[in-house]
Amino acid sequence: DIQDSWLNSAQVAVMNLFLSKNQSLSLGSIMHIVGNDSEIVDKVKEGFHKGLFELDLHGWDHINYTQLNENQQRDSLSKANAKMERLFGAKSVVSIPPYDVFNNDTIKAMGQLGIKIISSSPAEEDSFDQNRTIFVANGSRAAATTITHDNNKGPINNSATIYHLPATIFFKFFDDTKWVKTPLKDIIGNVTRNIARYGYGVIVLHPQDFAKPVNATTFSNSIDQKEVLDLSKLIDFFLSNNIRIMSFDKVTKYGTAVS
């Protein structure tokens, strides 16, 4: 949820942590509200130009994309990617849909725009009804979908493969009333199991995970150093156990799509 002004101290603290450790971080940006906060923009540029930060789309607005038709989704994502290129000098190939929700129209719109990776929640992936190919990563498997453009969208033989790398666990999750921290041992266990099964694990971070709470649902623009320290411990654990931290795009390059 990279964006202007809201909890920018927490956003910068997380980015600085990954920069200090020379590690990769995938940043999902809400593009309509990115660009006016020079501290955020400059920090994203710093990490991107160092080859550490991956530029991912978290929508143009933080809305439910399934409430839009295919053309509207395509136009929204296209507008977001155009601004991404203007601000940072490169388009994104990754979409992290707001609220995690997506549908067949989302996948088709992504294929038309050359956005080749989607990362959602496990629940949304489970509900997604689509024929799939298999993506091989480090000898394991991750889901992918293959779409073919129709004559109204492009050449009939022009197909695109969209790789699905869903979240496997959240640093903190919302339980209907408040944000709850996932114990570090549970995060480590989840990531280890998913690496053994699929070849990768995905930990979701939000700005509010690292901001001091005012109450159960609101936060101040001040850094919760204990949470940043715990994230640092996680990074150190993975690195000390030879678990590489990398972008979504680099993960997909470790395998091949097969039918």
Side-chain angles (χ1 to χ4, degrees), residues 8-250:
N8 57 353
S9 295
Q11 294 180 63
V12 170
V14 172
M15 288 190 277
N16 278 335
L17 177 63
F18 279 82
L19 285 167
S20 71
K21 294 180 180 292
N22 199 38
Q23 294 302 312
S24 177
L25 178 65
S26 294
L27 300 174
S29 297
I30 309 168
M31 291 311 302
H32 194 190
I33 50 176
V34 171
N36 293 321
D37 188 327
S38 60
E39 184 179 21
I40 294 293
V41 171
D42 290 346
K43 190 60 62 177
V44 173
K45 286 181 177 178
E46 179 184 351
F48 176 64
H49 291 311
K50 288 182 177 179
L52 296 176
F53 292 173
E54 180 182 64
L55 305 176
D56 300 346
L57 300 176
H58 196 42
W60 173 252
D61 291 303
H62 201 284
I63 59 173
N64 182 337
Y65 268 65
T66 65
Q67 295 176 355
L68 308 178
N69 62 34
E70 180 184 336
N71 289 338
Q72 290 170 327
Q73 291 196 52
R74 184 182 67 247
D75 291 347
S76 181
L77 289 171
S78 177
K79 186 163 55 174
N81 233 352
K83 186 174 181 181
M84 180 75 80
E85 187 173 32
R86 289 197 305 272
L87 276 179
F88 303 115
K91 290 184 177 180
S92 177
V93 296
V94 182
S95 176
I96 303 171
Y99 303 111
D100 290 319
V101 295
F102 67 101
N103 57 16
N104 286 334
D105 286 343
T106 312
I107 298 299
K108 291 175 184 176
M110 288 172 59
Q112 293 157 25
L113 296 171
I115 302 171
K116 64 182 184 179
I117 301 165
I118 187 167
S119 184
S120 183
S121 71
E124 290 300 325
E125 283 288 350
D126 288 343
S127 67
F128 179 63
D129 183 19
Q130 178 80 324
N131 293 327
R132 299 193 173 192
T133 61
I134 298 299
F135 168 68
V136 181
N138 289 345
S140 299
R141 302 188 299 176
T145 59
T146 299
I147 62 171
T148 301
H149 298 181
D150 62 30
N151 288 326
N152 295 321
K153 303 292 193 308
I156 193 68
N157 294 321
N158 180 16
S159 64
T161 297
I162 308 297
Y163 297 111
H164 297 240
L165 281 77
T168 59
I169 199 161
F170 293 72
F171 191 82
K172 291 185 180 181
F173 62 93
F174 194 69
D175 73 347
D176 295 329
T177 59
K178 62 184 182 300
W179 287 91
V180 179
K181 184 175 180 179
T182 306
L184 297 189
K185 63 181 179 61
D186 291 351
I187 296 176
I188 291 168
N190 175 281
V191 170
T192 303
R193 288 191 302 274
N194 278 282
I195 288 174
R197 185 174 182 183
Y198 300 115
Y200 66 90
V202 179
I203 304 170
V204 177
L205 314 173
H206 290 104
Q208 59 267 33
D209 297 352
F210 306 96
K212 289 184 178 179
V214 174
N215 53 45
T217 57
T218 59
F219 300 85
S220 66
N221 191 27
S222 56
I223 302 165
D224 190 329
Q225 295 292 353
K226 180 182 182 304
E227 303 299 354
V228 176
L229 178 60
D230 278 352
L231 179 59
S232 179
K233 290 177 181 177
L234 274 179
I235 296 171
D236 292 344
F237 174 86
F238 294 134
L239 296 176
S240 66
N241 283 273
N242 298 314
I243 296 173
R244 297 183 63 184
I245 299 172
M246 64 178 67
S247 67
F248 288 112
D249 192 33
K250 287 183 179 178

